[in-house]
Every structure is written in C-alpha cells, then in structure tokens.
PDB file of all heavy atoms in Angstrom:
ATOM      1  N   LEU A   1      15.621  -1.915   2.713  1.00  0.00           N
ATOM      2  CA  LEU A   1      16.218  -1.151   1.720  1.00  0.00           C
ATOM      3  C   LEU A   1      15.774  -1.485   0.293  1.00  0.00           C
ATOM      4  O   LEU A   1      16.289  -0.902  -0.682  1.00  0.00           O
ATOM      5  CB  LEU A   1      17.747  -1.138   1.828  1.00  0.00           C
ATOM      6  CG  LEU A   1      18.318  -0.696   3.157  1.00  0.00           C
ATOM      7  CD1 LEU A   1      19.876  -0.841   3.159  1.00  0.00           C
ATOM      8  CD2 LEU A   1      17.897   0.728   3.516  1.00  0.00           C
ATOM      9  N   THR A   2      14.837  -2.444   0.189  1.00  0.00           N
ATOM     10  CA  THR A   2      14.337  -2.869  -1.113  1.00  0.00           C
ATOM     11  C   THR A   2      12.860  -2.500  -1.253  1.00  0.00           C
ATOM     12  O   THR A   2      12.072  -2.882  -0.391  1.00  0.00           O
ATOM     13  CB  THR A   2      14.551  -4.405  -1.293  1.00  0.00           C
ATOM     14  OG1 THR A   2      15.931  -4.707  -1.074  1.00  0.00           O
ATOM     15  CG2 THR A   2      14.077  -4.828  -2.678  1.00  0.00           C
ATOM     16  N   GLN A   3      12.568  -1.800  -2.310  1.00  0.00           N
ATOM     17  CA  GLN A   3      11.162  -1.353  -2.544  1.00  0.00           C
ATOM     18  C   GLN A   3      10.602  -2.137  -3.690  1.00  0.00           C
ATOM     19  O   GLN A   3      11.026  -1.930  -4.870  1.00  0.00           O
ATOM     20  CB  GLN A   3      11.131   0.168  -2.793  1.00  0.00           C
ATOM     21  CG  GLN A   3      11.485   1.022  -1.653  1.00  0.00           C
ATOM     22  CD  GLN A   3      10.398   1.011  -0.629  1.00  0.00           C
ATOM     23  OE1 GLN A   3       9.275   1.226  -0.902  1.00  0.00           O
ATOM     24  NE2 GLN A   3      10.795   0.842   0.591  1.00  0.00           N
ATOM     25  N   ILE A   4       9.719  -3.075  -3.419  1.00  0.00           N
ATOM     26  CA  ILE A   4       9.171  -3.883  -4.545  1.00  0.00           C
ATOM     27  C   ILE A   4       7.638  -3.507  -4.627  1.00  0.00           C
ATOM     28  O   ILE A   4       6.907  -3.736  -3.681  1.00  0.00           O
ATOM     29  CB  ILE A   4       9.237  -5.442  -4.217  1.00  0.00           C
ATOM     30  CG1 ILE A   4      10.690  -5.800  -3.994  1.00  0.00           C
ATOM     31  CG2 ILE A   4       8.587  -6.271  -5.307  1.00  0.00           C
ATOM     32  CD1 ILE A   4      10.909  -7.243  -3.566  1.00  0.00           C
ATOM     33  N   PRO A   5       7.246  -2.945  -5.794  1.00  0.00           N
ATOM     34  CA  PRO A   5       5.826  -2.530  -5.863  1.00  0.00           C
ATOM     35  C   PRO A   5       4.921  -3.738  -5.832  1.00  0.00           C
ATOM     36  O   PRO A   5       5.237  -4.800  -6.358  1.00  0.00           O
ATOM     37  CB  PRO A   5       5.803  -1.873  -7.318  1.00  0.00           C
ATOM     38  CG  PRO A   5       7.159  -1.595  -7.580  1.00  0.00           C
ATOM     39  CD  PRO A   5       8.010  -2.572  -6.940  1.00  0.00           C
ATOM     40  N   PRO A   6       3.710  -3.569  -5.178  1.00  0.00           N
ATOM     41  CA  PRO A   6       2.734  -4.634  -5.230  1.00  0.00           C
ATOM     42  C   PRO A   6       2.146  -4.867  -6.596  1.00  0.00           C
ATOM     43  O   PRO A   6       2.349  -4.158  -7.488  1.00  0.00           O
ATOM     44  CB  PRO A   6       1.647  -4.165  -4.244  1.00  0.00           C
ATOM     45  CG  PRO A   6       2.333  -3.057  -3.504  1.00  0.00           C
ATOM     46  CD  PRO A   6       3.303  -2.437  -4.390  1.00  0.00           C
ATOM     47  N   THR A   7       1.565  -6.095  -6.764  1.00  0.00           N
ATOM     48  CA  THR A   7       0.917  -6.412  -7.984  1.00  0.00           C
ATOM     49  C   THR A   7      -0.606  -6.551  -7.722  1.00  0.00           C
ATOM     50  O   THR A   7      -0.983  -6.983  -6.651  1.00  0.00           O
ATOM     51  CB  THR A   7       1.435  -7.703  -8.597  1.00  0.00           C
ATOM     52  OG1 THR A   7       1.321  -8.748  -7.676  1.00  0.00           O
ATOM     53  CG2 THR A   7       2.830  -7.597  -9.016  1.00  0.00           C
ATOM     54  N   VAL A   8      -1.433  -6.249  -8.693  1.00  0.00           N
ATOM     55  CA  VAL A   8      -2.870  -6.304  -8.575  1.00  0.00           C
ATOM     56  C   VAL A   8      -3.385  -6.901  -9.932  1.00  0.00           C
ATOM     57  O   VAL A   8      -3.219  -6.313 -10.965  1.00  0.00           O
ATOM     58  CB  VAL A   8      -3.508  -4.901  -8.380  1.00  0.00           C
ATOM     59  CG1 VAL A   8      -5.040  -5.007  -8.240  1.00  0.00           C
ATOM     60  CG2 VAL A   8      -2.934  -4.293  -7.106  1.00  0.00           C
ATOM     61  N   THR A   9      -4.105  -8.009  -9.870  1.00  0.00           N
ATOM     62  CA  THR A   9      -4.714  -8.641 -11.058  1.00  0.00           C
ATOM     63  C   THR A   9      -6.101  -9.173 -10.752  1.00  0.00           C
ATOM     64  O   THR A   9      -6.371  -9.486  -9.550  1.00  0.00           O
ATOM     65  CB  THR A   9      -3.847  -9.773 -11.639  1.00  0.00           C
ATOM     66  OG1 THR A   9      -3.883 -10.925 -10.791  1.00  0.00           O
ATOM     67  CG2 THR A   9      -2.330  -9.358 -11.908  1.00  0.00           C
ATOM     68  N   LEU A  10      -6.942  -9.204 -11.782  1.00  0.00           N
ATOM     69  CA  LEU A  10      -8.253  -9.741 -11.696  1.00  0.00           C
ATOM     70  C   LEU A  10      -8.469 -10.675 -12.823  1.00  0.00           C
ATOM     71  O   LEU A  10      -8.356 -10.249 -13.985  1.00  0.00           O
ATOM     72  CB  LEU A  10      -9.275  -8.584 -11.698  1.00  0.00           C
ATOM     73  CG  LEU A  10     -10.804  -8.948 -11.677  1.00  0.00           C
ATOM     74  CD1 LEU A  10     -11.156  -9.652 -10.374  1.00  0.00           C
ATOM     75  CD2 LEU A  10     -11.617  -7.681 -11.851  1.00  0.00           C
ATOM     76  N   THR A  11      -8.868 -11.906 -12.565  1.00  0.00           N
ATOM     77  CA  THR A  11      -9.039 -12.958 -13.572  1.00  0.00           C
ATOM     78  C   THR A  11     -10.431 -13.519 -13.534  1.00  0.00           C
ATOM     79  O   THR A  11     -10.966 -13.786 -12.400  1.00  0.00           O
ATOM     80  CB  THR A  11      -8.026 -14.114 -13.388  1.00  0.00           C
ATOM     81  OG1 THR A  11      -6.749 -13.563 -13.457  1.00  0.00           O
ATOM     82  CG2 THR A  11      -8.216 -15.170 -14.462  1.00  0.00           C
ATOM     83  N   ALA A  12     -11.025 -13.744 -14.651  1.00  0.00           N
ATOM     84  CA  ALA A  12     -12.400 -14.287 -14.761  1.00  0.00           C
ATOM     85  C   ALA A  12     -12.290 -15.488 -15.742  1.00  0.00           C
ATOM     86  O   ALA A  12     -11.493 -15.577 -16.674  1.00  0.00           O
ATOM     87  CB  ALA A  12     -13.442 -13.306 -15.270  1.00  0.00           C
ATOM     88  N   GLN A  13     -13.251 -16.451 -15.446  1.00  0.00           N
ATOM     89  CA  GLN A  13     -13.229 -17.679 -16.366  1.00  0.00           C
ATOM     90  C   GLN A  13     -14.666 -18.188 -16.276  1.00  0.00           C
ATOM     91  O   GLN A  13     -15.415 -18.076 -15.295  1.00  0.00           O
ATOM     92  CB  GLN A  13     -12.281 -18.690 -15.862  1.00  0.00           C
ATOM     93  CG  GLN A  13     -12.183 -20.039 -16.693  1.00  0.00           C
ATOM     94  CD  GLN A  13     -11.147 -20.988 -16.080  1.00  0.00           C
ATOM     95  OE1 GLN A  13     -10.515 -20.719 -15.164  1.00  0.00           O
ATOM     96  NE2 GLN A  13     -11.006 -22.108 -16.788  1.00  0.00           N
ATOM     97  N   GLY A  14     -15.053 -18.884 -17.407  1.00  0.00           N
ATOM     98  CA  GLY A  14     -16.453 -19.494 -17.423  1.00  0.00           C
ATOM     99  C   GLY A  14     -17.501 -18.586 -17.906  1.00  0.00           C
ATOM    100  O   GLY A  14     -17.270 -17.906 -19.016  1.00  0.00           O
ATOM    101  N   ALA A  15     -18.541 -18.454 -17.237  1.00  0.00           N
ATOM    102  CA  ALA A  15     -19.757 -17.697 -17.746  1.00  0.00           C
ATOM    103  C   ALA A  15     -19.537 -16.174 -17.746  1.00  0.00           C
ATOM    104  O   ALA A  15     -18.698 -15.684 -16.917  1.00  0.00           O
ATOM    105  CB  ALA A  15     -21.034 -18.076 -16.885  1.00  0.00           C
ATOM    106  N   PRO A  16     -20.267 -15.456 -18.564  1.00  0.00           N
ATOM    107  CA  PRO A  16     -20.091 -13.982 -18.602  1.00  0.00           C
ATOM    108  C   PRO A  16     -20.520 -13.319 -17.290  1.00  0.00           C
ATOM    109  O   PRO A  16     -21.326 -13.820 -16.552  1.00  0.00           O
ATOM    110  CB  PRO A  16     -21.011 -13.595 -19.760  1.00  0.00           C
ATOM    111  CG  PRO A  16     -21.297 -14.862 -20.529  1.00  0.00           C
ATOM    112  CD  PRO A  16     -21.244 -15.917 -19.587  1.00  0.00           C
ATOM    113  N   CYS A  17     -19.856 -12.192 -17.025  1.00  0.00           N
ATOM    114  CA  CYS A  17     -20.254 -11.428 -15.804  1.00  0.00           C
ATOM    115  C   CYS A  17     -19.717  -9.972 -16.034  1.00  0.00           C
ATOM    116  O   CYS A  17     -19.025  -9.636 -16.995  1.00  0.00           O
ATOM    117  CB  CYS A  17     -19.572 -11.999 -14.611  1.00  0.00           C
ATOM    118  SG  CYS A  17     -17.823 -12.102 -14.642  1.00  0.00           S
ATOM    119  N   SER A  18     -20.165  -9.102 -15.148  1.00  0.00           N
ATOM    120  CA  SER A  18     -19.764  -7.668 -15.206  1.00  0.00           C
ATOM    121  C   SER A  18     -19.182  -7.308 -13.800  1.00  0.00           C
ATOM    122  O   SER A  18     -19.623  -7.816 -12.783  1.00  0.00           O
ATOM    123  CB  SER A  18     -20.976  -6.770 -15.520  1.00  0.00           C
ATOM    124  OG  SER A  18     -21.509  -7.128 -16.821  1.00  0.00           O
ATOM    125  N   PHE A  19     -18.227  -6.375 -13.822  1.00  0.00           N
ATOM    126  CA  PHE A  19     -17.638  -5.838 -12.609  1.00  0.00           C
ATOM    127  C   PHE A  19     -17.894  -4.358 -12.509  1.00  0.00           C
ATOM    128  O   PHE A  19     -17.527  -3.590 -13.448  1.00  0.00           O
ATOM    129  CB  PHE A  19     -16.139  -6.150 -12.669  1.00  0.00           C
ATOM    130  CG  PHE A  19     -15.805  -7.582 -12.633  1.00  0.00           C
ATOM    131  CD1 PHE A  19     -15.794  -8.372 -13.798  1.00  0.00           C
ATOM    132  CD2 PHE A  19     -15.494  -8.271 -11.403  1.00  0.00           C
ATOM    133  CE1 PHE A  19     -15.419  -9.650 -13.806  1.00  0.00           C
ATOM    134  CE2 PHE A  19     -15.249  -9.596 -11.400  1.00  0.00           C
ATOM    135  CZ  PHE A  19     -15.126 -10.331 -12.606  1.00  0.00           C
ATOM    136  N   LYS A  20     -18.497  -3.942 -11.448  1.00  0.00           N
ATOM    137  CA  LYS A  20     -18.867  -2.500 -11.261  1.00  0.00           C
ATOM    138  C   LYS A  20     -18.260  -1.987 -10.003  1.00  0.00           C
ATOM    139  O   LYS A  20     -17.819  -2.768  -9.114  1.00  0.00           O
ATOM    140  CB  LYS A  20     -20.337  -2.329 -11.248  1.00  0.00           C
ATOM    141  CG  LYS A  20     -21.077  -2.880 -12.513  1.00  0.00           C
ATOM    142  CD  LYS A  20     -22.620  -2.736 -12.343  1.00  0.00           C
ATOM    143  CE  LYS A  20     -23.371  -3.161 -13.609  1.00  0.00           C
ATOM    144  NZ  LYS A  20     -24.823  -3.009 -13.413  1.00  0.00           N
ATOM    145  N   GLN A  21     -18.216  -0.584  -9.888  1.00  0.00           N
ATOM    146  CA  GLN A  21     -17.855  -0.006  -8.656  1.00  0.00           C
ATOM    147  C   GLN A  21     -16.434  -0.507  -8.180  1.00  0.00           C
ATOM    148  O   GLN A  21     -16.201  -0.666  -7.032  1.00  0.00           O
ATOM    149  CB  GLN A  21     -18.883  -0.117  -7.538  1.00  0.00           C
ATOM    150  CG  GLN A  21     -20.188   0.395  -7.909  1.00  0.00           C
ATOM    151  CD  GLN A  21     -21.243   0.132  -6.923  1.00  0.00           C
ATOM    152  OE1 GLN A  21     -21.046  -0.117  -5.730  1.00  0.00           O
ATOM    153  NE2 GLN A  21     -22.546   0.013  -7.395  1.00  0.00           N
ATOM    154  N   LEU A  22     -15.590  -0.691  -9.137  1.00  0.00           N
ATOM    155  CA  LEU A  22     -14.265  -1.256  -8.857  1.00  0.00           C
ATOM    156  C   LEU A  22     -13.359  -0.172  -8.163  1.00  0.00           C
ATOM    157  O   LEU A  22     -13.225   0.936  -8.749  1.00  0.00           O
ATOM    158  CB  LEU A  22     -13.657  -1.852 -10.001  1.00  0.00           C
ATOM    159  CG  LEU A  22     -12.367  -2.649  -9.806  1.00  0.00           C
ATOM    160  CD1 LEU A  22     -12.287  -3.856 -10.706  1.00  0.00           C
ATOM    161  CD2 LEU A  22     -11.114  -1.793 -10.004  1.00  0.00           C
ATOM    162  N   GLY A  23     -12.673  -0.471  -7.065  1.00  0.00           N
ATOM    163  CA  GLY A  23     -11.797   0.465  -6.419  1.00  0.00           C
ATOM    164  C   GLY A  23     -10.626  -0.185  -5.801  1.00  0.00           C
ATOM    165  O   GLY A  23     -10.759  -1.315  -5.304  1.00  0.00           O
ATOM    166  N   LEU A  24      -9.473   0.517  -5.774  1.00  0.00           N
ATOM    167  CA  LEU A  24      -8.279   0.052  -5.112  1.00  0.00           C
ATOM    168  C   LEU A  24      -7.985   1.009  -4.036  1.00  0.00           C
ATOM    169  O   LEU A  24      -7.987   2.260  -4.172  1.00  0.00           O
ATOM    170  CB  LEU A  24      -7.150   0.003  -6.097  1.00  0.00           C
ATOM    171  CG  LEU A  24      -5.772  -0.523  -5.644  1.00  0.00           C
ATOM    172  CD1 LEU A  24      -5.892  -2.020  -5.267  1.00  0.00           C
ATOM    173  CD2 LEU A  24      -4.649  -0.326  -6.658  1.00  0.00           C
ATOM    174  N   TYR A  25      -7.689   0.492  -2.797  1.00  0.00           N
ATOM    175  CA  TYR A  25      -7.482   1.255  -1.561  1.00  0.00           C
ATOM    176  C   TYR A  25      -6.117   0.915  -0.964  1.00  0.00           C
ATOM    177  O   TYR A  25      -5.674  -0.293  -1.070  1.00  0.00           O
ATOM    178  CB  TYR A  25      -8.583   1.016  -0.597  1.00  0.00           C
ATOM    179  CG  TYR A  25      -9.979   1.320  -1.043  1.00  0.00           C
ATOM    180  CD1 TYR A  25     -10.613   0.408  -1.904  1.00  0.00           C
ATOM    181  CD2 TYR A  25     -10.668   2.484  -0.720  1.00  0.00           C
ATOM    182  CE1 TYR A  25     -11.923   0.723  -2.407  1.00  0.00           C
ATOM    183  CE2 TYR A  25     -11.925   2.781  -1.147  1.00  0.00           C
ATOM    184  CZ  TYR A  25     -12.523   1.876  -1.960  1.00  0.00           C
ATOM    185  OH  TYR A  25     -13.805   2.164  -2.478  1.00  0.00           O
ATOM    186  N   ARG A  26      -5.548   1.846  -0.293  1.00  0.00           N
ATOM    187  CA  ARG A  26      -4.332   1.500   0.532  1.00  0.00           C
ATOM    188  C   ARG A  26      -4.561   1.773   1.959  1.00  0.00           C
ATOM    189  O   ARG A  26      -5.494   2.616   2.362  1.00  0.00           O
ATOM    190  CB  ARG A  26      -3.165   2.385   0.056  1.00  0.00           C
ATOM    191  CG  ARG A  26      -3.235   3.866   0.348  1.00  0.00           C
ATOM    192  CD  ARG A  26      -1.943   4.509   0.148  1.00  0.00           C
ATOM    193  NE  ARG A  26      -1.879   5.979   0.431  1.00  0.00           N
ATOM    194  CZ  ARG A  26      -1.749   6.510   1.550  1.00  0.00           C
ATOM    195  NH1 ARG A  26      -1.568   5.783   2.614  1.00  0.00           N
ATOM    196  NH2 ARG A  26      -1.624   7.824   1.657  1.00  0.00           N
ATOM    197  N   ASP A  27      -3.868   1.182   2.824  1.00  0.00           N
ATOM    198  CA  ASP A  27      -4.002   1.368   4.304  1.00  0.00           C
ATOM    199  C   ASP A  27      -3.225   2.623   4.729  1.00  0.00           C
ATOM    200  O   ASP A  27      -2.324   3.110   4.008  1.00  0.00           O
ATOM    201  CB  ASP A  27      -3.414   0.159   5.000  1.00  0.00           C
ATOM    202  CG  ASP A  27      -3.737   0.065   6.533  1.00  0.00           C
ATOM    203  OD1 ASP A  27      -4.648   0.902   6.853  1.00  0.00           O
ATOM    204  OD2 ASP A  27      -3.092  -0.647   7.212  1.00  0.00           O
ATOM    205  N   ILE A  28      -3.543   3.110   5.855  1.00  0.00           N
ATOM    206  CA  ILE A  28      -2.788   4.278   6.500  1.00  0.00           C
ATOM    207  C   ILE A  28      -1.387   3.767   6.704  1.00  0.00           C
ATOM    208  O   ILE A  28      -1.205   2.612   6.950  1.00  0.00           O
ATOM    209  CB  ILE A  28      -3.412   4.690   7.798  1.00  0.00           C
ATOM    210  CG1 ILE A  28      -2.787   5.922   8.324  1.00  0.00           C
ATOM    211  CG2 ILE A  28      -3.410   3.581   8.787  1.00  0.00           C
ATOM    212  CD1 ILE A  28      -3.478   6.542   9.552  1.00  0.00           C
ATOM    213  N   TYR A  29      -0.401   4.714   6.501  1.00  0.00           N
ATOM    214  CA  TYR A  29       0.984   4.336   6.562  1.00  0.00           C
ATOM    215  C   TYR A  29       1.671   5.348   7.518  1.00  0.00           C
ATOM    216  O   TYR A  29       1.740   6.538   7.180  1.00  0.00           O
ATOM    217  CB  TYR A  29       1.636   4.402   5.250  1.00  0.00           C
ATOM    218  CG  TYR A  29       3.063   3.868   5.133  1.00  0.00           C
ATOM    219  CD1 TYR A  29       3.295   2.581   4.734  1.00  0.00           C
ATOM    220  CD2 TYR A  29       4.121   4.663   5.472  1.00  0.00           C
ATOM    221  CE1 TYR A  29       4.591   2.081   4.643  1.00  0.00           C
ATOM    222  CE2 TYR A  29       5.456   4.194   5.426  1.00  0.00           C
ATOM    223  CZ  TYR A  29       5.606   2.920   4.981  1.00  0.00           C
ATOM    224  OH  TYR A  29       6.942   2.426   4.899  1.00  0.00           O
ATOM    225  N   TYR A  30       2.139   4.894   8.673  1.00  0.00           N
ATOM    226  CA  TYR A  30       2.829   5.736   9.611  1.00  0.00           C
ATOM    227  C   TYR A  30       4.297   5.793   9.188  1.00  0.00           C
ATOM    228  O   TYR A  30       5.100   4.880   9.474  1.00  0.00           O
ATOM    229  CB  TYR A  30       2.702   5.214  11.084  1.00  0.00           C
ATOM    230  CG  TYR A  30       1.347   5.321  11.577  1.00  0.00           C
ATOM    231  CD1 TYR A  30       0.486   4.154  11.761  1.00  0.00           C
ATOM    232  CD2 TYR A  30       0.772   6.554  11.968  1.00  0.00           C
ATOM    233  CE1 TYR A  30      -0.781   4.261  12.211  1.00  0.00           C
ATOM    234  CE2 TYR A  30      -0.499   6.633  12.440  1.00  0.00           C
ATOM    235  CZ  TYR A  30      -1.294   5.493  12.543  1.00  0.00           C
ATOM    236  OH  TYR A  30      -2.596   5.589  12.970  1.00  0.00           O
ATOM    237  N   THR A  31       4.608   6.866   8.397  1.00  0.00           N
ATOM    238  CA  THR A  31       5.880   6.940   7.743  1.00  0.00           C
ATOM    239  C   THR A  31       7.037   7.224   8.749  1.00  0.00           C
ATOM    240  O   THR A  31       6.864   7.945   9.728  1.00  0.00           O
ATOM    241  CB  THR A  31       5.833   7.982   6.668  1.00  0.00           C
ATOM    242  OG1 THR A  31       7.146   8.081   6.055  1.00  0.00           O
ATOM    243  CG2 THR A  31       5.506   9.345   7.201  1.00  0.00           C
ATOM    244  N   ASN A  32       8.155   6.659   8.441  1.00  0.00           N
ATOM    245  CA  ASN A  32       9.449   7.054   9.110  1.00  0.00           C
ATOM    246  C   ASN A  32      10.081   8.216   8.557  1.00  0.00           C
ATOM    247  O   ASN A  32      10.972   8.780   9.056  1.00  0.00           O
ATOM    248  CB  ASN A  32      10.402   5.870   9.151  1.00  0.00           C
ATOM    249  CG  ASN A  32       9.957   4.663   9.899  1.00  0.00           C
ATOM    250  OD1 ASN A  32       9.143   4.842  10.846  1.00  0.00           O
ATOM    251  ND2 ASN A  32      10.308   3.460   9.485  1.00  0.00           N
ATOM    252  N   TYR A  33       9.591   8.709   7.352  1.00  0.00           N
ATOM    253  CA  TYR A  33      10.200   9.828   6.702  1.00  0.00           C
ATOM    254  C   TYR A  33       9.941  11.085   7.463  1.00  0.00           C
ATOM    255  O   TYR A  33       8.895  11.464   7.891  1.00  0.00           O
ATOM    256  CB  TYR A  33       9.595   9.966   5.327  1.00  0.00           C
ATOM    257  CG  TYR A  33      10.190  11.222   4.576  1.00  0.00           C
ATOM    258  CD1 TYR A  33      11.400  11.186   3.967  1.00  0.00           C
ATOM    259  CD2 TYR A  33       9.518  12.430   4.668  1.00  0.00           C
ATOM    260  CE1 TYR A  33      11.882  12.306   3.284  1.00  0.00           C
ATOM    261  CE2 TYR A  33       9.996  13.601   4.038  1.00  0.00           C
ATOM    262  CZ  TYR A  33      11.226  13.479   3.389  1.00  0.00           C
ATOM    263  OH  TYR A  33      11.693  14.612   2.739  1.00  0.00           O
ATOM    264  N   SER A  34      11.043  11.830   7.654  1.00  0.00           N
ATOM    265  CA  SER A  34      10.931  13.176   8.247  1.00  0.00           C
ATOM    266  C   SER A  34      12.194  13.961   8.073  1.00  0.00           C
ATOM    267  O   SER A  34      13.300  13.347   7.929  1.00  0.00           O
ATOM    268  CB  SER A  34      10.629  13.112   9.803  1.00  0.00           C
ATOM    269  OG  SER A  34      10.762  14.406  10.409  1.00  0.00           O
ATOM    270  N   GLY A  35      12.138  15.316   7.944  1.00  0.00           N
ATOM    271  CA  GLY A  35      13.319  16.057   7.816  1.00  0.00           C
ATOM    272  C   GLY A  35      14.038  16.258   9.193  1.00  0.00           C
ATOM    273  O   GLY A  35      15.176  16.685   9.258  1.00  0.00           O
ATOM    274  N   SER A  36      13.379  15.757  10.276  1.00  0.00           N
ATOM    275  CA  SER A  36      13.948  15.852  11.601  1.00  0.00           C
ATOM    276  C   SER A  36      14.806  14.706  11.892  1.00  0.00           C
ATOM    277  O   SER A  36      14.678  13.591  11.335  1.00  0.00           O
ATOM    278  CB  SER A  36      12.860  15.971  12.655  1.00  0.00           C
ATOM    279  OG  SER A  36      13.291  15.816  13.983  1.00  0.00           O
ATOM    280  N   ASN A  37      15.875  14.877  12.700  1.00  0.00           N
ATOM    281  CA  ASN A  37      16.729  13.768  13.114  1.00  0.00           C
ATOM    282  C   ASN A  37      16.005  12.967  14.163  1.00  0.00           C
ATOM    283  O   ASN A  37      16.517  11.832  14.430  1.00  0.00           O
ATOM    284  CB  ASN A  37      18.071  14.300  13.744  1.00  0.00           C
ATOM    285  CG  ASN A  37      18.906  14.982  12.619  1.00  0.00           C
ATOM    286  OD1 ASN A  37      18.886  14.531  11.491  1.00  0.00           O
ATOM    287  ND2 ASN A  37      19.634  16.046  12.937  1.00  0.00           N
ATOM    288  N   THR A  38      14.970  13.450  14.796  1.00  0.00           N
ATOM    289  CA  THR A  38      14.241  12.742  15.784  1.00  0.00           C
ATOM    290  C   THR A  38      13.205  11.894  15.211  1.00  0.00           C
ATOM    291  O   THR A  38      12.343  12.398  14.480  1.00  0.00           O
ATOM    292  CB  THR A  38      13.627  13.680  16.805  1.00  0.00           C
ATOM    293  OG1 THR A  38      14.568  14.562  17.336  1.00  0.00           O
ATOM    294  CG2 THR A  38      12.998  12.908  17.920  1.00  0.00           C
ATOM    295  N   LYS A  39      13.312  10.535  15.300  1.00  0.00           N
ATOM    296  CA  LYS A  39      12.281   9.634  14.754  1.00  0.00           C
ATOM    297  C   LYS A  39      11.949   8.566  15.831  1.00  0.00           C
ATOM    298  O   LYS A  39      12.213   7.381  15.646  1.00  0.00           O
ATOM    299  CB  LYS A  39      12.837   8.993  13.498  1.00  0.00           C
ATOM    300  CG  LYS A  39      13.199   9.963  12.379  1.00  0.00           C
ATOM    301  CD  LYS A  39      13.835   9.264  11.167  1.00  0.00           C
ATOM    302  CE  LYS A  39      14.193  10.232  10.082  1.00  0.00           C
ATOM    303  NZ  LYS A  39      14.856   9.559   8.955  1.00  0.00           N
ATOM    304  N   ARG A  40      11.523   9.025  16.971  1.00  0.00           N
ATOM    305  CA  ARG A  40      11.335   8.194  18.078  1.00  0.00           C
ATOM    306  C   ARG A  40      10.254   7.098  17.778  1.00  0.00           C
ATOM    307  O   ARG A  40       9.161   7.418  17.177  1.00  0.00           O
ATOM    308  CB  ARG A  40      10.799   9.070  19.292  1.00  0.00           C
ATOM    309  CG  ARG A  40      10.727   8.515  20.615  1.00  0.00           C
ATOM    310  CD  ARG A  40      10.325   9.569  21.604  1.00  0.00           C
ATOM    311  NE  ARG A  40      11.261  10.722  21.583  1.00  0.00           N
ATOM    312  CZ  ARG A  40      11.001  11.872  21.047  1.00  0.00           C
ATOM    313  NH1 ARG A  40       9.839  12.163  20.465  1.00  0.00           N
ATOM    314  NH2 ARG A  40      11.882  12.842  21.065  1.00  0.00           N
ATOM    315  N   GLY A  41      10.522   5.890  18.172  1.00  0.00           N
ATOM    316  CA  GLY A  41       9.624   4.746  17.971  1.00  0.00           C
ATOM    317  C   GLY A  41       9.547   4.311  16.519  1.00  0.00           C
ATOM    318  O   GLY A  41       8.781   3.398  16.263  1.00  0.00           O
ATOM    319  N   THR A  42      10.429   4.765  15.701  1.00  0.00           N
ATOM    320  CA  THR A  42      10.389   4.318  14.284  1.00  0.00           C
ATOM    321  C   THR A  42      11.398   3.161  14.100  1.00  0.00           C
ATOM    322  O   THR A  42      12.023   2.743  15.063  1.00  0.00           O
ATOM    323  CB  THR A  42      10.727   5.472  13.333  1.00  0.00           C
ATOM    324  OG1 THR A  42      12.038   6.001  13.695  1.00  0.00           O
ATOM    325  CG2 THR A  42       9.718   6.569  13.497  1.00  0.00           C
ATOM    326  N   GLU A  43      11.431   2.696  12.890  1.00  0.00           N
ATOM    327  CA  GLU A  43      12.182   1.421  12.615  1.00  0.00           C
ATOM    328  C   GLU A  43      13.603   1.531  13.095  1.00  0.00           C
ATOM    329  O   GLU A  43      14.344   2.398  12.734  1.00  0.00           O
ATOM    330  CB  GLU A  43      12.106   1.098  11.134  1.00  0.00           C
ATOM    331  CG  GLU A  43      12.556  -0.222  10.801  1.00  0.00           C
ATOM    332  CD  GLU A  43      12.215  -0.650   9.354  1.00  0.00           C
ATOM    333  OE1 GLU A  43      11.251   0.021   8.806  1.00  0.00           O
ATOM    334  OE2 GLU A  43      12.653  -1.672   8.887  1.00  0.00           O
ATOM    335  N   GLY A  44      13.980   0.562  13.958  1.00  0.00           N
ATOM    336  CA  GLY A  44      15.325   0.529  14.536  1.00  0.00           C
ATOM    337  C   GLY A  44      15.480   1.440  15.740  1.00  0.00           C
ATOM    338  O   GLY A  44      16.512   1.404  16.317  1.00  0.00           O
ATOM    339  N   LEU A  45      14.440   2.160  16.115  1.00  0.00           N
ATOM    340  CA  LEU A  45      14.521   3.013  17.272  1.00  0.00           C
ATOM    341  C   LEU A  45      13.255   2.798  18.170  1.00  0.00           C
ATOM    342  O   LEU A  45      12.477   3.702  18.404  1.00  0.00           O
ATOM    343  CB  LEU A  45      14.596   4.485  16.939  1.00  0.00           C
ATOM    344  CG  LEU A  45      15.786   4.990  16.047  1.00  0.00           C
ATOM    345  CD1 LEU A  45      15.600   6.414  15.553  1.00  0.00           C
ATOM    346  CD2 LEU A  45      17.017   4.868  16.912  1.00  0.00           C
TER     347      LEU A  45
END
C-alpha cells in the first residue's frame, strides 16, 4: 500500500568525459489493476 518512486542519479569524478545515447527503461509490469472483480493469480489470489 506504499508507493515510493525510484531514484536515478549519475555521478562523475576525475578526468573529463562525455555521456551519449543516454536512456532510461522500465521492465514489463503485469498489473493487478482491472475494472473486473476477477483477478486470478494476482497479489493475494
């Protein structure tokens, strides 16, 4: 029942450098959300 957003940071130190083609991706999420009362195999069921 607690939703804590993830954090994302990038830190550099020392000699100069460049960062290219940077992307953030999420995994597939098999949601329990549905307007139906039937949620077979979902959390707690």
